[in-house]
Amino acid sequence: MTLARTLSAGSNLSRRNFLVASAAAGGGLILGLALPFGRSEAAGSADFTPNAFIRIGSNGEVVLTMPYVEMGQGTYTAIPMLIAEELEMSLAQVRLEHAPPNEKLYANPLLGVQATGNSNAIRGAWKPLREAGATARTMLVAAAAQRWGVDQAACRAQNGEVIHEPTGRRASYGDLAAEASKMPVPESVSLKSPQDFTLIGTPAKRLDATAKVNGTAVYGIDARPAGVKIATLAQSPVFGGRVKSVDDTASTAVKGVQQIVRLDDAVAIVADHMGAAKKGLEALRIEWDDGPNAALGTEQVARQLEEATLKTGAVAQNVGDVEMAMANAATRLKARYEVPFLAHAALEPMNCTVHFRKEECEIWIGSQAVARVQAMAAQALGLPQDKVIVHNHLIGGGFGRRLEADGALRAVEIAKHVDGPVKVVWTREEDIQHDMYRPYWFDRLSAGLDGEGRPVAWSNRFAGSSVIARWLPPGFHDGLDLDSTEGAINLPYDLPNFHVEYVRVEPPGIPTAFWRSVGPSHNVFVTESFIDEMAAAARQDPVAFRRSLLSKSPRAKAVLDLAAEKAGWGEAVPKGRGRGVALQFVFGSYLAMVADVEVSEDGAVRVHRAVCAVDVGTAVNPDTVEAQVQGGVIFGTTAALYGEITLKNGRVEQANFDSYQMIRMNEAPTIEVHVVKSEEPPGGLGEAGTSLIVPAIANAVFAATGRRLRKMPIGTALAKQGN
Amino acid sequence: MAFNIEINGKPHTVDVDADTPLLWVLRDVIGMTGTKFGCGMALCGACTVHIDGVATRSCITSVHSIGESKVTTIEAIGATPAGAAIQKAWLDHQVVQCGYCQSGQIMSAAALLQSNPDPTDADIDNAMSGNICRCGTYVRIREAIKLAAQAGKQGG
């Protein structure tokens, strides 16, 4: 599929017209069927396909297949940079295609499945995709050398051509494609040294930007196969409930309504357009059987988790002897922390278009895990996997929501009853009330300090849902998974006696899923708040206290120092304002954040400024690194100030952006991002800003008011306390 | 019933209920998908279009209410000086992330610049706070609007 559907006639905006032009060329392709991805399939073709990521046509067209999805995080620019760097091409010479579902070819090496999440794309792609580019380059050079009868060592690739230095002969990649495809695939290739990089490390303009400013970018919700009908739905307001009865008399009378599809636990209205579908839905009278969760409330879930932390859990990390150290400590601290359920609220509401044709099914969707969609749809329909064709699209916000296939399965269920293609679009209310939520977590911590205020013991036992246990069962073993504990263990600090346990508790009546910054979204808030509590108990400056514990982590110390310096740490702040710091090493990246907040008389919290220092290793596209931290800070600020999903009588109480509030332009802080130069392999960054800003804000509120907020969101907590 | 509406300078006839929101006429009936659905209640601004040059939420604007007014969408905003300046600033400043809200952001920003060529921070807050960006591009949106305003002053 292509990123833009139609050529933007007369557009003179674009320095990236190749992307827009891809529309016309690629619009009719059916991925997974028409393209020669594997080398063996390409044998004898005039195209050169050294691997599943690169196709060079004899017409000179260079197509890169993107194994990970673009949901705003800049993958569709950074991944091409990795390939093009080694292939010796400019970004302006390539065209991009979404990868089809294929776990074998496109699995992320770090996840083992074809999915985009956990800030893994660049980390997973760093070596293999540069090798993919280098392999192609090596074969193109070999082909040119053979054609000219010269030594390969005298030839070099540059800007889409191979050049023979001594004679000045040159041939374009397209011209060499057919011959290159017959060259042996090198067993190993040498990668460029960082000092020779021309793309990696230099800010690059996003390849998807033009289509996104002129309305031609195509998201899943924009798919319009011929004859498509639009459906919207009402799902049981209580998870696990059922439809008891439906009176559709008024709905069928609505102009444009074509069909009403009744499922076990949902009703869908199929119509000519969404306006009619929504009107039809409003006219429906549905009686629900609420089922076993009819009385469920958030408080019940929270107490279940709290009780679970009184029992022992699986030991995630143990260093030294916490019990003995605690017994000998001069000062002891105890604290309980809680974080709420959160919805993803991606701006593109859940949607999926399905054309079920009995023996075959075609799906149009924007998915973070397209192979999962294919496999689960095939299973639900009893079809072989290759009979389910999935077209992936740009994603209007993922944040973990689109790692799940529930929306696709729901659309498939509806499509089974519909003749022809149907696009199922969730209303915002359905999207928020039938999300799969960031888990609620409860943490019980204790710590000990010696007579000089040095930490001697740290103990943390926390309880909550393991998303991995459901989503990727082999990833959960011995009561643990790497996501639930990330940010709670392997802290950058030197803590001589350290003990962390995790208790898996699956709440009833509410589904959970990954949410931007996953495990750290909860763990970093807790650990960085608690370390701040320890600094306060030791009567030490929060930066100095952290710094004294970082002798074994120079990269962490460097970002902490940089953030403190840039933020003017230690300078006086006006009354009612406070400055908070937080530090993390998660997703393979080091970040430090200083937040400036103001707490008004009535307890309202305003975040004025966030200063972030980042050591992400090699910053592949430094502009994206900055953008992701900026966005992550806004996302996390929304969570810290407003984010909360609550249940009452089994129903989610929030419904739209009035009751599930987002930070807006007038509340956005200024955000400064300082990137440390490094040649280390890249870490992940799409999520890191989100987890870190939350404790930075909470610690700043403490600095401003002396009040320690151990339960998110901040919301009206300060007002309630009569600040 | 049938309604005649002018979108981006072209006449269209659509046969829908009078209370059908313009958003669905654009997206589903006519097939112009640049204008986005986000909330359906004028809370997020993703569906913003111009009606006679005024930024308007198409998700709560009935097709019946449009009458002779001229509708401009993201697909044609580049043909206006303010729209072109905003789109260029968006690219120069690398504003977009997922991009889904950006049609609406650009329509709101273009309307602002059309009526106020030199907006202050408070003007920008007023004009743009109805548009949610879940990816959090606000910092760059603010800078891009200022950049476009600056270019307007220099370039005339």
Side-chain angles (χ1 to χ4, degrees):
Chain A
M1 294 299 287
T2 55
L3 309 187
R5 183 186 287 134
T6 53
L7 278 163
S8 163
S11 166
N12 56 1
L13 286 165
S14 176
R15 294 192 294 160
R16 304 286 174 210
N17 269 331
F18 66 95
L19 242 199
V20 178
S22 74
L29 291 175
I30 296 173
L31 288 182
L33 296 180
L35 303 180
F37 284 104
R39 176 155 172 85
S40 57
E41 295 167 53
S45 142
D47 288 350
F48 173 43
T49 57
N51 48 59
F53 308 103
I54 300 168
R55 186 175 80 247
I56 301 176
S58 48
N59 61 358
E61 186 181 53
V62 179
V63 179
L64 305 183
T65 301
M66 296 292 101
Y68 312 124
V69 297
E70 177 59 65
M71 46 193 170
Q73 83 283 34
T75 304
Y76 273 25
T77 310
I79 298 279
M81 288 172 80
L82 299 182
I83 301 173
E85 180 72 68
E86 295 291 340
L87 188 51
E88 297 293 358
M89 304 199 61
S90 74
L91 290 180
Q93 292 168 298
V94 300
R95 165 166 102 68
L96 309 182
E97 282 178 0
H98 305 298
N102 189 325
E103 299 274 27
K104 222 169 103 194
L105 293 177
Y106 300 116
N108 183 308
L110 297 178
L111 291 170
V113 292
Q114 186 181 354
T116 309
N118 202 41
S119 297
N120 268 329
I122 289 296
R123 286 191 283 172
W126 175 239
K127 195 154 175 273
L129 290 194
R130 284 184 302 143
E131 282 172 347
T135 300
R137 180 194 71 215
T138 306
M139 293 167 76
L140 287 158
V141 167
Q146 188 182 67
R147 180 192 286 185
W148 297 327
V150 299
D151 184 3
Q152 277 187 43
C155 301
R156 68 185 167 85
Q158 184 189 308
N159 204 25
E161 292 182 320
V162 180
I163 300 163
H164 181 237
E165 296 278 10
T167 59
R169 271 180 292 191
R170 46 180 69 212
S172 73
Y173 287 176
D175 180 24
L176 292 165
E179 287 152 80
S181 69
K182 297 185 186 77
M183 290 289 127
V185 180
E187 282 185 13
S188 68
V189 287
S190 56
L191 298 176
K192 290 169 77 172
S193 301
Q195 64 264 27
D196 297 327
F197 287 161
T198 56
L199 296 174
I200 294 171
T202 303
K205 300 262 182 185
R206 298 178 63 110
L207 299 183
D208 56 349
T210 299
K212 288 176 175 178
V213 304
N214 64 21
T216 58
V218 180
Y219 301 83
I221 203 168
D222 300 325
R224 301 183 82 239
V228 71
K229 296 270 185 295
I230 313 293
T232 195
L233 77 172
Q235 301 170 87
S236 169
V238 177
F239 294 100
R242 294 265 172 269
V243 177
K244 199 189 276 177
S245 69
V246 181
D247 176 356
D248 60 16
T249 322
S251 298
T252 46
V254 172
K255 183 182 168 75
V257 167
Q258 298 289 345
Q259 187 181 348
I260 286 144
V261 177
R262 182 181 160 165
L263 303 171
D264 263 4
D265 59 344
V267 184
I269 303 277
V270 182
D272 294 339
H273 55 85
M274 184 70 170
K278 281 183 80 171
K279 199 170 168 183
L281 192 73
E282 279 155 25
L284 267 186
R285 291 181 187 281
I286 311 171
E287 211 185 324
W288 302 98
D289 170 1
D290 285 347
N293 300 311
L296 187 68
T298 319
E299 196 51 25
Q300 193 180 328
V301 173
R303 295 295 68 83
Q304 182 191 17
L305 295 174
E306 182 178 8
E307 280 165 29
T309 59
L310 294 169
K311 301 171 199 142
T312 55
V315 177
Q317 192 177 15
N318 185 71
V319 179
D321 186 338
V322 166
E323 222 165 290
M324 188 183 286
M326 201 73 89
N328 296 329
T331 310
R332 295 184 196 92
L333 290 79
K334 280 186 179 181
R336 296 183 298 181
Y337 281 83
E338 284 173 74
V339 298
F341 292 113
L342 293 173
H344 299 81
L347 214 59
E348 179 190 2
M350 290 288 281
N351 67 86
C352 179
T353 302
V354 179
H355 191 182
F356 179 61
R357 294 185 289 260
K358 309 288 181 232
E359 304 302 314
E360 188 182 73
C361 183
E362 199 169 352
I363 296 176
W364 294 260
I365 193 169
S367 171
Q368 292 175 252
V370 73
R372 187 182 183 91
V373 166
Q374 183 189 43
M376 290 180 73
Q379 193 184 23
L381 292 166
L383 287 174
Q385 218 154 290
D386 63 358
K387 292 293 180 190
V388 177
I389 303 147
V390 185
H391 308 280
N392 211 1
H393 291 75
L394 293 173
I395 293 181
F399 316 124
R401 180 65 183 101
R402 290 184 160 97
L403 283 165
E404 303 293 348
D406 61 313
L409 290 177
R410 187 59 94 185
V412 163
E413 277 185 295
I414 294 165
K416 279 166 77 176
H417 301 275
V418 178
D419 191 18
V422 59
K423 172 156 59 179
V424 180
V425 179
W426 299 24
T427 61
R428 175 57 58 191
E429 291 78 8
E430 280 294 314
D431 185 278
I432 286 183
Q433 299 191 319
H434 293 85
D435 199 346
M436 298 174 72
Y437 303 88
R438 195 283 301 269
Y440 199 112
W441 294 91
F442 189 97
D443 291 51
R444 194 180 291 275
L445 294 101
S446 54
L449 303 165
D450 67 13
E452 274 84 58
R454 281 189 299 260
V456 290
W458 171 293
S459 173
N460 179 10
R461 185 186 292 149
F462 61 95
S465 166
S466 165
V467 181
I468 290 270
R470 171 184 58 79
W471 198 85
L472 198 64
F476 186 83
H477 41 83
D478 302 327
L480 295 167
D481 69 79
L482 291 175
D483 169 42
S484 296
T485 55
E486 184 167 15
I489 60 172
N490 301 322
L491 303 185
Y493 304 116
D494 185 15
L495 297 165
N497 301 289
F498 183 84
H499 185 85
V500 177
E501 290 180 19
Y502 165 54
V503 190
R504 181 189 172 197
V505 181
E506 297 302 330
I510 180 164
T512 60
F514 303 114
W515 185 92
R516 191 177 190 177
S517 79
V518 286
S521 82
H522 139 252
N523 289 320
V524 173
F525 162 62
V526 173
T527 56
E528 279 303 295
S529 295
F530 197 53
I531 204 97
D532 220 64
E533 291 203 53
M534 291 166 77
R539 300 181 188 287
Q540 288 183 31
D541 172 80
V543 169
F545 184 77
R546 285 174 173 79
R547 201 170 188 282
S548 71
L549 304 174
L550 294 172
S551 56
K552 289 176 189 159
S553 188
R555 291 174 73 185
K557 192 189 270 184
V559 291
L560 178 65
D561 285 346
L562 184 59
E565 180 209 322
K566 297 292 184 186
W569 186 266
E571 292 165 10
V573 295
K575 193 176 177 308
R577 290 210 184 190
R579 196 165 272 172
V581 66
L583 173 71
Q584 72 180 16
F585 173 53
V586 292
F587 308 114
S589 298
Y590 295 85
L591 276 81
M593 185 92 69
V594 175
D596 284 14
V597 309
E598 180 176 3
V599 183
S600 67
E601 292 286 317
D602 63 357
V605 173
R606 169 81 198 246
V607 182
H608 283 285
R609 178 182 181 224
V611 178
C612 188
V614 183
D615 176 357
V616 68
T618 302
V620 175
N621 185 357
D623 190 60
T624 298
V625 169
E626 184 195 67
Q628 283 304 296
V629 174
Q630 290 172 336
V633 165
I634 297 289
F635 204 90
T637 303
T638 287
L641 298 190
Y642 304 127
E644 186 171 32
I645 289 290
T646 52
L647 293 170
K648 190 177 179 187
N649 295 327
R651 290 158 165 78
V652 170
E653 293 187 281
Q654 296 71 25
N656 207 319
F657 293 122
D658 46 356
S659 47
Y660 193 66
Q661 217 175 318
M662 303 282 122
I663 291 288
R664 293 167 181 272
M665 174 66 86
N666 60 330
E667 300 163 288
T670 59
I671 304 166
E672 297 166 33
V673 184
H674 304 278
V675 182
V676 173
K677 284 241 182 269
S678 168
E679 286 180 5
E680 296 286 331
L685 201 71
E687 311 178 85
T690 297
S691 50
L692 193 57
I693 187 67
V694 179
I697 292 171
N699 293 339
V701 168
F702 175 75
T705 65
R707 298 223 167 82
R708 181 63 66 186
L709 299 175
R710 299 189 184 89
K711 189 175 175 183
M712 286 289 120
I714 292 166
T716 54
L718 289 165
K720 280 180 192 157
Q721 290 177 22
N723 184 63
Chain B
M1 66 180 281
F3 293 89
N4 298 310
I5 48 175
E6 188 186 315
I7 303 165
N8 299 335
K10 288 187 197 130
H12 291 267
T13 304
V14 294
D15 183 15
V16 294
D17 274 352
D19 61 357
T20 303
L22 174 63
L23 173 63
W24 308 117
V25 170
L26 291 171
R27 287 184 55 82
D28 295 343
V29 180
I30 299 173
M32 296 170 64
T33 54
T35 305
K36 300 303 187 199
F37 165 50
C39 71
M41 287 176 65
L43 295 167
C44 78
C47 68
T48 305
V49 299
H50 290 190
I51 294 184
D52 292 334
V54 177
T56 305
R57 313 295 184 218
S58 65
C59 74
I60 55 157
T61 303
S62 70
V63 66
H64 168 255
S65 71
I66 293 166
E68 302 290 310
S69 294
K70 293 176 184 357
V71 178
T72 308
T73 70
I74 185 68
E75 284 89 351
I77 197 64
T80 69
I86 288 291
Q87 284 177 323
K88 182 177 183 305
W90 248 241
L91 292 176
D92 288 346
H93 226 74
Q94 290 288 288
V95 169
V96 307
Q97 291 190 26
C98 94
Y100 190 80
C101 75
Q102 298 295 346
S103 293
Q105 303 279 2
I106 286 168
M107 295 307 284
S108 289
L112 167 65
L113 215 60
Q114 229 152 36
S115 62
N116 179 356
D118 194 13
T120 63
D121 274 1
D123 296 335
I124 293 173
D125 283 352
N126 281 337
M128 303 304 294
S129 290
N131 290 76
I132 291 173
C133 175
R134 186 63 165 142
C135 298
T137 62
Y138 300 128
V139 173
R140 292 190 181 202
I141 287 174
R142 185 185 296 283
E143 288 166 357
I145 291 173
K146 289 180 174 176
L147 193 74
Q150 200 64 31
K153 273 192 278 186
Q154 284 166 0

